[in-house]
Each structure stands twice: as C-alpha cells, then as structure tokens.
Amino acid sequence: MESWDRGSGIRHSGFGLVLLLTYAAVCHAAGQSTAPVVGSPRLTVRVYNYAAVSRATLAGAEKEASRIFREARIETSWQDCPTSHAEEEAFPGCAQLLGPAGVDVRIVPRSMAARLESPRERLGLALPSQSGVASAAWVFFHRVEELARSGIASPSQILACALAHEMGHLLLGPNEHSSVGIMRAHLGPDELKSASQGQLLFTPSNCDLIHTQVLLRLQAARAASDAVLVNER
C-alpha cells in the first residue's frame, strides 16, 4: 500500500503551531470513547465509486474509516460523487473546486487499476494535485476482495482500512509507513485480524502529524476565503 505525494505545500505558522499544541493534547489511544468531539477539525472526503461497491459495503467502510479518523480526533464528511457524465447533474456539489481541507478518493476495479503503475500487492495509491497539496487517492477494490477471501476480515472492514491508509498518505506524506498500525505498508494475517476487531488504527505519532496537516489545511482554506472577500470589496 505504498503511496507517493510531494507534500502539502503549506507553510507552518505560529498560529498553526498553537493549534497543533491544542489538539495534540487530546489525541488519544485506541479503546477510549470515539464519540464526535465538539470543535474537532473536519476533513471532507469525496468518493467516486467506479468499482460499483455495494451500498451496504461502502457505507460500512465509510463508517469504520470515520471511526478510525475519530481516534485521531478528526471528523470526516463523506460525499458521494458521479462516476459518469450522465450523473453529474445529480451531484452538483462535486463540481465545485476542492479546497485544501478536502480529498478525492476513487474506488476502482481491476481494469482501471491496471492503468496505474502500481505493484500487485498495493491496496491503492495517493497523488498530489497540480497545486502540490496532496488530495487525490485511489483504492483498488479487487485487492480488497482478494484479501477478504481469507475470511479473516470482511470486505467492508478491509476497504475501511484501505481508505484510511491512503487518506493517511495524503496527510502524512509518501513514505510515512510504520511498523505497526494502519500505516503498515502491507496487510498480513495479523493486521487483518486487528482490522476485524476494529484495532487497526493510526499510531500516536501518526495522530499528531494528521492533526498538524488537517489544521494547517483548514487554516489555508480560511486564508483563501478571506483573500476572496478582500478582492470582492
């Protein structure tokens, strides 16, 4: 599941460091309550379901991925987007420009994954946008199905981990793999068992870095919005 990006391209500021210190203090370990926390930063996720994953499987994966990010005190908003031109009018929000605090995730079948240069064992990949802010990820659903045949974890549980892993690369960087947790480069039997038990999560250090990036992206989004307002006056 190794991925690649060129970093967020966002400058760190004093304000960003204050936010980091504030939220890093509440980053908590697995097993504690994962109820939504008032004031938690929110990441918008636009999902393009090219693999025609069933509604039940996708909904379950999004719910579990939300819980995984909530362990890092990040809330997520999931938005279904069209996979053909004929559907575009039914999803007007997806035509809007994706801001710094949003990411696009495309769940693709084997035929589409084959067009991307990626080793067979990967579950997906992540790439930056032209602006340099990492915002686009792909998840290979046929690999999810292959791993699910082991019977250790369900397709929904494995898809959730793949989504969280690739979104993690968009926030953490291309080489941010860990020896334990959801940012391991490969999912073996032990990781699949953890996933089935809801215990395959970001490490504490992952958590701190994710907070940094989401908060800085929100800061960049506010700055861009303020600049538009100033120009309109």
Side-chain angles (χ1 to χ4, degrees), residues 10-35:
I10 300 175
R11 292 179 181 272
H12 290 249
S13 67
F15 176 63
L17 290 174
V18 170
L19 288 172
L20 168 60
L21 292 172
T22 300
Y23 282 99
V26 300
C27 187
H28 68 306
Q32 298 184 13
S33 172
T34 56

Side-chain angles (χ1 to χ4, degrees), residues 7 132 137 171 196:
L171 298 165
S196 72

